[in-house]
Amino acid sequence: MSTPVEGWHGWDAYARFYDWENAQTVGRRDVRFWADLAARADGTVLELGCGTGRLSVPVARKARRFVGIDRSAAMLRRLRARLRRARLTGRAATVRGDVRALPFRPDWRCRLVMAPYGMLQSLLSDEDLAATLDAVAGVLAPGGTLGVDLAPGLPRWGEYARRVSLRGPMSGGRRVTLIESVRQVPRHGLTIFNQEFVETRAGRRTSYPVSIAFRTLTVPQVVERVERAGFAVDAVLGGYREEAWSPDAEIWVIIARRS
Ligand SMILES: C[S@@+](CC[C@H](N)C(=O)[O-])C[C@H]1O[C@@H](n2cnc3c(N)ncnc32)[C@H](O)[C@@H]1O
């Protein structure tokens, strides 16, 4: 299978299975944290890499106004259907675009930018990360909040090839088996997931390949990049319940303010 060369590659193919897989992994663990942050934002909330809306719908319910941006049309289609079902289209907007060059009017501002579920790890180079943080600084009102979470454990995953990592029913009478391979490229801090989703419906078997890459930095490295982009870091946490940060925490959360 091929190696993605950009962090936004692979998500269109993944969209069909994203909710199925994540219902069994992250689930709703982070929902409350982001919804509470949105409730306190007192203005528009922007979600970078909003995907299928796993977080967008509960966040939009709490936010005064919500905007989600994502580069993947297939992920956004699912989010839009969710917003319609939740009757949230009146105060929630979706934008197809790249977080490295936010496509908003020069005078558009928001009060909270959230980069959840390792979104910044989809930026595979320092240039991409710097461009994104600069773009965020450009749309966040002074005093506004940037919230980031990161999955620091990715580089420690052991490599494996074609392991059945999940299996089970999906909507529409389908059954899915996920066969996964993991490859590390330590020199570039990259972890590459090559996945094959095998879907069976009415005895017919269809295979969907997906390839996605993530780049992991340490907390001090991310904090340094965030500060360099003009933010003051208010807190570094070790989880969604505001646990104290430690290097071996499963989740890192950084809360920063636009100075
Ligand atoms: C891990 S998913 C997170 C989705 C959602 N926020 C959640 O928590 O379930 C990352 C999302 O970021 C999007 N993405 C990756 N790189 C991007 C880029 N450069 N610009 C815009 N979206 C991007 C992907 O399409 C994907 O939907």
Side-chain angles (χ1 to χ4, degrees):
M1 273 188 214
S2 63
T3 298
V5 291
E6 293 261 11
W8 57 269
H9 287 169
W11 294 94
D12 277 340
Y14 188 20
R16 184 182 184 91
F17 301 101
Y18 184 87
D19 291 322
W20 175 83
E21 182 178 352
N22 285 287
Q24 300 170 73
T25 53
V26 69
R28 296 182 55 79
R29 232 178 344 143
D30 51 350
V31 169
R32 177 119 182 230
F33 173 81
W34 291 110
D36 285 352
L37 209 57
R40 292 200 296 271
D42 197 23
T44 301
V45 174
L46 171 65
E47 182 183 359
L48 305 181
C50 51
T52 62
R54 190 183 64 83
L55 291 172
S56 315
V57 167
V59 164
R61 282 205 175 96
K62 292 289 173 100
R64 202 184 283 174
R65 195 167 159 69
F66 173 85
V67 179
I69 182 167
D70 205 287
R71 182 152 178 157
S72 163
M75 297 288 273
L76 282 177
R77 258 197 304 280
R78 285 161 196 272
L79 165 58
R80 287 176 184 140
R82 262 190 172 148
L83 290 173
R84 277 195 300 275
R85 284 197 300 274
R87 299 180 192 278
L88 283 167
T89 47
R91 60 197 169 100
T94 61
V95 178
R96 182 161 181 231
D98 198 299
V99 299
R100 294 169 294 183
L102 293 173
F104 300 113
R105 286 195 324 261
D107 59 344
W108 187 85
R109 293 289 177 275
C110 56
R111 292 293 310 171
L112 168 65
V113 175
M114 42 188 277
Y117 204 19
M119 196 280 136
L120 295 188
Q121 289 171 277
S122 285
L123 302 162
L124 303 188
S125 68
D126 256 351
E127 293 70 32
D128 287 352
L129 179 57
T132 302
L133 292 172
D134 286 348
V136 169
V139 298
L140 201 51
T145 302
L146 166 65
V148 171
D149 79 18
L150 303 163
L154 289 183
R156 294 195 296 271
W157 277 45
E159 293 183 304
Y160 52 84
R162 296 197 54 77
R163 180 183 291 174
V164 173
S165 62
L166 283 178
R167 163 186 283 151
M170 199 165 113
S171 59
R174 293 170 286 178
R175 285 198 67 78
V176 178
T177 302
L178 166 56
I179 304 165
E180 187 171 74
S181 307
V182 173
R183 192 157 64 80
Q184 302 286 358
V185 188
R187 196 158 51 97
H188 298 294
L190 298 182
T191 306
I192 296 160
F193 289 84
N194 285 314
Q195 301 178 309
E196 183 188 358
F197 291 88
V198 180
E199 188 183 287
T200 314
R201 178 165 29 191
R204 220 181 117 178
R205 191 175 177 279
T206 315
S207 164
Y208 296 86
V210 172
S211 194
I212 291 178
F214 300 96
R215 176 176 184 250
T216 307
L217 298 175
T218 65
V219 150
Q221 286 171 326
V222 179
V223 164
E224 191 265 326
R225 268 81 167 169
V226 166
E227 287 176 340
R228 206 193 300 161
F231 295 89
V233 172
D234 283 342
V236 180
L237 307 168
Y240 301 117
R241 291 168 184 228
E242 314 209 351
E243 296 92 332
W245 178 77
S246 78
D248 50 2
E250 219 179 292
I251 298 292
W252 294 342
V253 180
I254 298 173
I255 304 292
R257 210 166 2 89
R258 166 106 155 71
S259 19

